[in-house]
Amino acid sequence: MSAILGRLNAGWYAILLCFPLTLLLQDSVQARLTYREGQTALLSESVFPTLIVIAMTAAWEGGRLAGGPVSMRSAVRSPLAVVGLSTAPGVVSGVAGHLAATMLSLSDAKVAPPLPSLRLYLGFVVVAWSVAVISWLVGYALDTVISVPLMAGAVYLGMIWPLFTGRIAFRSLLAEHSSCCSIAQEVDWRAVLAPFVFGVGLVGVGLAIAMWVWRPMRWSGLMVAVAVLVFAGGLAMPALIANRDQVQARDMDALVCKQSSSSSRLYCVWPEQDADLDALVREGDATLNAWATLGLPFAPETITTATMTSGDQDAVAVAFRPQPGRGDIAIALATAVLPEPYTCRDDLMGSYVTLMVWLALAGGASPGDRAIAQFAGMGSASSGPLAVAQARLAQAAELQRTWFEQEYAQLRAGCA
Amino acid sequence: MAGKAEVSAYLDLREVSYRYRRSADDVLAITHTFIQGRTILLGPNGAGKSTLLQLCANRIRLQHGAISLRAEGRILQSTTQAYRASVGFMPQHPTFVRGMSVHDQLVYAGWLAGLSEANAHRQATNWLERTNLARHAGKRCSDLSGGMQRRLAFAAAAIAEPSVLLLDEPTVGLDPHERSTFREILMDYNDEAIVLISTHQIDDLDLLADEIAVLAEGRLVFSGEASAFLGLADPDLPVLARAERAYAAAIRRGLAV
């Protein structure tokens, strides 16, 4: 039966399958190399338009089946079976299209395996299904000319409305789970639960009302009341997480540590990064040794991927993508030892980028390294900061150190 | 025609009444038992024929009274799923799913009527043959003529071979040839079933009807065999004129009570 119903809306489903891929091509879907939920977070923007298309498809399908030869009231099949079966192809297409875009994006970023956080992705499925069911019922009740744009608008408003973006929607849950630090954060369980309860409650209300209208039974009124209560519970969930961050710091005891073989330096990473710990130790030691050869004053005792409290001179926090190379680690260390760029005066940003690139190259990174190109935002190797840094590297060590000390002092003065 | 001694299927309406919202009076108030065979429902516009059929089909909610079906040794209340599975309804203005082929339309109707998907496919093919629509199976419904659409709607109502078949003005607007074709298809339907047909056409009553029921102002004013109905008028009149006179007499007599 789903094949028969599916054939009807093949065009819509094709759009749902291809739409996220289109977003991918437009760079609206991006996956930087991150760990855990951060990957899903980066893809959350593309959920927004996908949900709108799912809503339009379901409203269209509901309107189409409303004209069927057998009334829903007199059909033997329950409204739940009809709604479930006819919304399934749209939801599956939307989720499959989005998942394909996600995996392509993650694969392109060399994340293995190229899967988003399934725990959070399930939130997308629940919300997509609730949107589809409600849209189908509206489509069944109203003329298609009205229901399709109405549901597109309703979903749009639902997604941009502060109540939803701020507290309920998994979209905000994910978006606020910033990519750089997601490895050091835990998602608050209430923030995960809220969209689930909200989505299931919304579906429950819709189906209970449908049963009430089409198949009144002794307990129909009670069913609607229970469904409304569950829905209200879903709406109340955000109150529980109001004024709280939707993420919280991870327990530091989970860190996995390893000592450098050539010094007392300690490297610590989260369990998900365990496979990259050896690379961090190897490339970190090599970078810091190269800096020491030049006489640079950076010799932290602890290098960790946990977020550090400010003011700790002996410990630095680094962030890097999976399977890091020399360039990734050198850039990560340079970022950790230089002042925060967003605190610098605008006129110092050029110096900051040049110094960063020079530090990475001095630490042994290759000029053609992708990490350096990405960081500097350069389209080609001949761009400004890289050329300046390479020219400095060609100078005597003493000259380089003198230049560095001047630039570094200037940065420290200009970046609070 | 089913003889009284052979009757094994009943559609029982007990104190059934229906009133539209904002209406002061019931549009229908009836207690009656329909038996197996073809019963023609006659009555002026607004007499309650469509309301009666829609109540029996669960298309509108029963407000008062009870409807039950006795068939194959079981008594099924109208609120049960088993009852719904035993009833097929053809509306006065059939509608179809936009874009769906004729064959798929029937498969979908069969599935909604409770058939498994495989069985719905088999029955769809069967009913396309029986309604002479097999060569139009791949067409969209909008490409069918009015008569073909009526036949398709009949097939959709009958695809699960229900014990009760409710047809609301099934031949309205059809030309004589299409009416004749439709009548043949209907005559071919299961003799054991209860078939209620509301209509204004009385020229072929003697060919089609086992029983006649006449409604007026929401009440049943005549019920009996076709011969008894025609007996209300002068037997020397031509068939059509006799049926018209009998119809007028039934209504006049019923409303005078």
Side-chain angles (χ1 to χ4, degrees):
Chain A
M1 186 48 54
S2 54
I4 285 178
L5 296 175
R7 273 204 298 274
L8 281 178
N9 279 345
W12 279 108
Y13 304 144
I15 291 172
L16 276 167
L17 277 169
C18 300
F19 187 57
L21 297 175
T22 311
L23 294 175
L24 179 70
L25 292 174
Q26 292 173 344
D27 282 341
S28 296
V29 180
Q30 293 177 344
R32 291 172 216 128
L33 279 174
T34 59
Y35 295 89
R36 301 172 73 235
E37 283 86 359
Q39 294 151 9
T40 315
L42 289 162
L43 293 158
S44 61
E45 287 296 314
S46 63
V47 165
F48 184 29
T50 302
L51 280 181
I52 291 178
V53 184
I54 286 177
M56 292 168 72
T57 308
W60 177 269
E61 182 69 358
R64 194 196 288 262
L65 293 187
V70 178
S71 157
M72 198 64 76
R73 281 185 194 278
S74 50
V76 175
R77 300 285 176 188
S78 79
L80 276 70
V82 178
V83 176
L85 201 69
S86 55
T87 52
V91 175
V92 168
S93 302
V95 172
H98 195 267
L99 191 59
T102 304
M103 292 174 71
L104 281 172
S105 178
L106 295 175
S107 178
D108 184 51
K110 293 189 172 52
V111 177
L115 282 171
S117 165
L118 294 180
R119 177 177 60 149
L120 298 185
Y121 213 79
L122 199 56
F124 172 42
V125 177
V126 171
V127 174
W129 187 49
S130 69
V131 162
V133 168
I134 296 301
S135 302
W136 192 96
L137 293 171
V138 171
Y140 195 90
L142 302 177
D143 194 280
T144 307
V145 175
I146 298 169
S147 65
V148 171
L150 176 71
M151 288 317 297
V155 172
Y156 176 76
L157 287 176
M159 294 299 285
I160 64 167
W161 193 251
L163 176 70
F164 288 80
T165 53
R167 296 300 172 207
I168 293 180
F170 64 103
R171 171 172 169 260
S172 89
L173 159 72
L174 303 178
E176 286 181 18
H177 199 207
S178 59
S179 61
C180 77
C181 309
S182 66
I183 188 71
Q185 294 171 330
E186 287 285 10
V187 179
D188 190 306
W189 65 270
R190 286 167 293 197
V192 177
L193 194 60
F196 279 86
V197 178
F198 174 75
V200 171
L202 198 60
V203 169
V205 169
L207 292 180
I209 290 174
M211 291 293 284
W212 192 23
V213 171
W214 291 326
R215 298 289 167 79
M217 292 179 293
R218 187 181 297 176
W219 302 107
S220 294
L222 184 63
M223 277 172 52
V224 174
V226 169
V228 169
L229 281 175
V230 172
F231 183 53
L235 286 175
M237 283 298 292
L240 293 174
I241 57 171
N243 302 319
R244 286 177 60 97
D245 288 336
Q246 292 172 12
V247 291
Q248 57 198 24
R250 279 179 94 176
D251 185 356
M252 303 275 268
D253 289 344
L255 287 169
V256 178
C257 297
K258 185 175 182 180
Q259 191 167 1
S260 164
S261 57
S262 58
S263 69
S264 60
R265 194 175 298 127
L266 196 62
Y267 292 86
C268 295
V269 296
W270 296 109
E272 293 82 358
Q273 299 170 306
D274 196 17
D276 295 331
L277 181 54
D278 286 339
L280 174 62
V281 173
R282 184 177 63 248
E283 305 301 347
D285 277 355
T287 301
L288 291 170
N289 290 341
W291 287 352
T293 306
L294 275 173
L296 302 185
F298 304 123
E301 282 300 301
T302 304
I303 294 166
T304 175
T305 49
T307 308
M308 304 303 298
T309 52
S310 58
D312 190 345
Q313 300 297 320
D314 292 332
V316 293
V318 291
F320 52 84
R321 60 186 181 182
Q323 301 168 10
R326 170 65 69 88
D328 298 304
I329 300 300
I331 283 286
L333 283 168
T335 306
V337 299
L338 290 182
E340 295 285 357
Y342 56 82
T343 62
C344 295
R345 294 198 318 256
D346 287 347
D347 60 316
L348 290 176
M349 278 309 292
S351 299
Y352 176 84
V353 173
T354 304
L355 203 54
M356 177 73 78
V357 173
W358 177 81
L359 271 173
L361 295 178
S366 161
D369 195 296
R370 190 170 68 164
I372 290 175
Q374 280 181 346
F375 172 80
M378 296 178 293
S380 68
S382 61
S383 300
L386 183 58
V388 173
Q390 285 181 299
R392 288 288 172 194
L393 277 174
Q395 294 178 336
E398 185 61 30
L399 282 174
Q400 288 187 62
R401 189 169 58 251
T402 305
W403 169 79
F404 168 77
E405 284 168 354
Q406 287 170 352
E407 293 290 308
Y408 186 57
Q410 194 178 16
L411 276 186
R412 291 189 63 155
C415 306
Chain B
M1 176 181 165
K4 291 286 183 195
E6 306 161 30
V7 171
S8 60
Y10 301 87
L11 183 63
D12 198 27
L13 283 73
R14 285 279 158 264
E15 296 179 1
V16 169
S17 62
Y18 190 83
R19 181 178 298 189
Y20 288 112
R21 210 182 297 171
R22 299 193 192 92
S23 167
D25 302 313
D26 289 339
V27 294
L28 184 71
I30 185 171
T31 293
H32 186 68
T33 300
F34 293 99
I35 59 171
Q36 71 191 61
R38 288 178 296 277
T39 298
I40 303 288
L41 274 177
L42 296 175
N45 289 327
K49 302 187 300 294
S50 292
T51 305
L52 172 63
L53 294 181
Q54 291 190 62
L55 280 170
C56 291
N58 270 318
R59 295 268 290 204
I60 53 178
R61 195 180 301 176
L62 188 61
Q63 294 170 337
H64 186 260
I67 298 174
S68 59
L69 168 66
R70 182 178 147 187
E72 297 167 3
R74 294 189 302 165
I75 296 177
L76 309 171
Q77 296 301 322
S78 63
T79 50
T80 62
Q81 193 180 42
Y83 174 92
R84 274 196 296 271
S86 304
V87 175
F89 176 71
M90 176 183 167
Q92 187 176 347
H93 304 290
T95 54
F96 303 99
V97 180
R98 288 194 309 270
M100 213 182 241
S101 74
V102 168
H103 177 268
D104 288 354
Q105 206 83 235
L106 283 185
V107 176
Y108 178 57
W111 179 79
L112 284 177
L115 299 179
S116 69
E117 197 170 334
N119 201 10
H121 273 282
R122 270 195 302 275
Q123 283 289 77
T125 306
N126 174 29
W127 275 98
L128 285 173
E129 292 287 347
R130 288 172 72 170
T131 52
N132 303 324
L133 290 171
R135 65 196 175 89
H136 305 290
K139 286 184 181 173
R140 293 189 174 184
C141 297
S142 53
D143 295 334
L144 299 181
S145 69
M148 290 175 185
Q149 288 192 3
R150 294 255 161 201
R151 278 185 266 150
L152 178 62
F154 177 79
I159 189 166
E161 312 265 354
S163 305
V164 179
L165 195 52
L166 308 164
L167 312 175
D168 194 359
E169 303 207 24
T171 55
V172 69
L174 297 186
D175 64 49
H177 175 69
E178 273 291 356
R179 269 215 314 274
S180 168
T181 306
F182 194 92
R183 190 170 59 233
E184 284 169 20
I185 294 166
L186 187 56
M187 298 284 276
D188 193 37
Y189 192 71
N190 179 12
D191 284 340
E192 302 288 311
I194 299 166
V195 182
L196 300 188
I197 308 155
S198 89
T199 185
H200 289 292
Q201 283 157 347
I202 52 177
D203 48 346
D204 48 6
L205 282 182
D206 54 331
L207 296 173
L208 198 60
D210 295 322
E211 296 272 333
I212 305 286
V214 182
L215 283 171
E217 295 183 359
R219 289 182 294 132
L220 191 66
V221 296
F222 176 86
S223 172
E225 293 185 3
S227 56
F229 174 74
L230 292 172
L232 295 174
D234 183 352
D236 294 332
L237 289 169
V239 173
L240 180 57
R242 193 178 170 196
E244 284 174 350
R245 293 282 175 83
Y247 173 62
I251 290 176
R252 199 169 47 243
R253 206 172 63 177
L255 293 180
V257 174

